[in-house]
Amino acid sequence: LKTWLAPFIMGPINTRVVRRSNALFSAHGNGYGPNFRYHEYMECRPPFSYPKALSISMGLRVADQLFKRPLGRALIRWLAPKPGQGPSEASMDNGFFRSRFVATSDEGLSIMATLSSKGDPGNRVTVKILCESALALALDDLPTDCGSGGVLTPATALGDALVKRLIDVGFIFETQVIDS
């Protein structure tokens, strides 16, 4: 993609969910098997791509160290927004969310999928996804071959029903071949 990347704050959690989905799908012949790898990063766009990526990376390392110490946690609590504070309605309405996923096959074909939606990612987008997930659980025909063995992921439990619901509320899914 010829761009600088930085660690994404939710990456450590999201990667485990994606890998769990693949393991559950693979157990039923629908996954990508043992060669599947998944990593998650934040794209740092120009100008100043390298300094942005470096600053984010260093900032996350500092935050990680602060969270490990009582004084650091107290400092973060003091600096963080208090309950009831947060972004304005206008800010949440005018925000946006875009994730790009790049997949490369064993044969070297690369495809980029983009998922986007209007609204602040931490407030509007997450709430839409949670509400549509609840509606899918309550109202839709869901996959019955999603396996067993503990906790299911959104992909294995809700499947295409959630994708359809998200498209119906304005999420945009796009794919394109970027290398062949």
Side-chain angles (χ1 to χ4, degrees):
L1 296 176
K2 297 182 173 100
T3 188
W4 284 97
L5 303 173
F8 179 56
I9 195 165
M10 293 300 297
I13 295 166
N14 295 344
T15 55
R16 285 163 176 78
V17 175
V18 171
R19 290 180 185 142
R20 173 75 175 149
S21 296
N22 182 59
L24 289 168
F25 283 134
S26 293
H28 293 88
N30 298 323
Y32 297 102
N35 291 335
F36 178 76
R37 292 177 296 163
Y38 179 85
H39 305 281
E40 194 165 312
Y41 301 97
M42 172 189 270
E43 179 181 12
C44 296
R45 304 183 82 184
F48 311 115
S49 300
Y50 175 71
K52 281 182 196 175
L54 186 60
S55 297
I56 291 167
S57 182
M58 297 303 287
L60 287 173
R61 287 183 187 172
V62 168
D64 180 57
Q65 292 304 310
L66 285 174
F67 278 121
K68 292 179 181 177
R69 293 170 174 73
L71 183 59
R73 289 190 297 273
L75 177 64
I76 290 169
R77 272 193 299 276
W78 182 70
L79 292 171
K82 305 302 176 242
Q85 295 178 330
S88 67
E89 291 291 323
S91 176
M92 289 187 288
D93 290 341
N94 294 320
F96 72 95
F97 161 82
R98 182 186 77 176
S99 286
R100 297 192 313 171
F101 307 88
V102 178
T104 304
S105 71
D106 290 339
E107 295 76 31
L109 176 67
S110 292
I111 295 176
M112 181 167 52
T114 303
L115 169 62
S116 60
S117 180
K118 187 173 177 5
D120 177 75
N123 293 284
R124 299 291 192 246
V125 172
T126 299
V127 170
K128 278 193 260 185
I129 292 171
L130 288 172
C131 289
E132 294 305 323
S133 296
L135 289 168
L137 283 169
L139 304 174
D140 295 344
D141 291 326
L142 300 176
T144 56
D145 62 346
C146 52
S148 61
V151 178
L152 299 178
T153 64
T156 57
L158 304 174
D160 290 337
L162 179 58
V163 173
K164 182 184 179 318
R165 286 187 163 278
L166 293 177
I167 290 170
D168 289 347
V169 296
F171 281 71
I172 299 169
F173 291 83
E174 301 171 308
T175 59
Q176 69 183 67
V177 175
I178 58 173
D179 192 349
S180 53

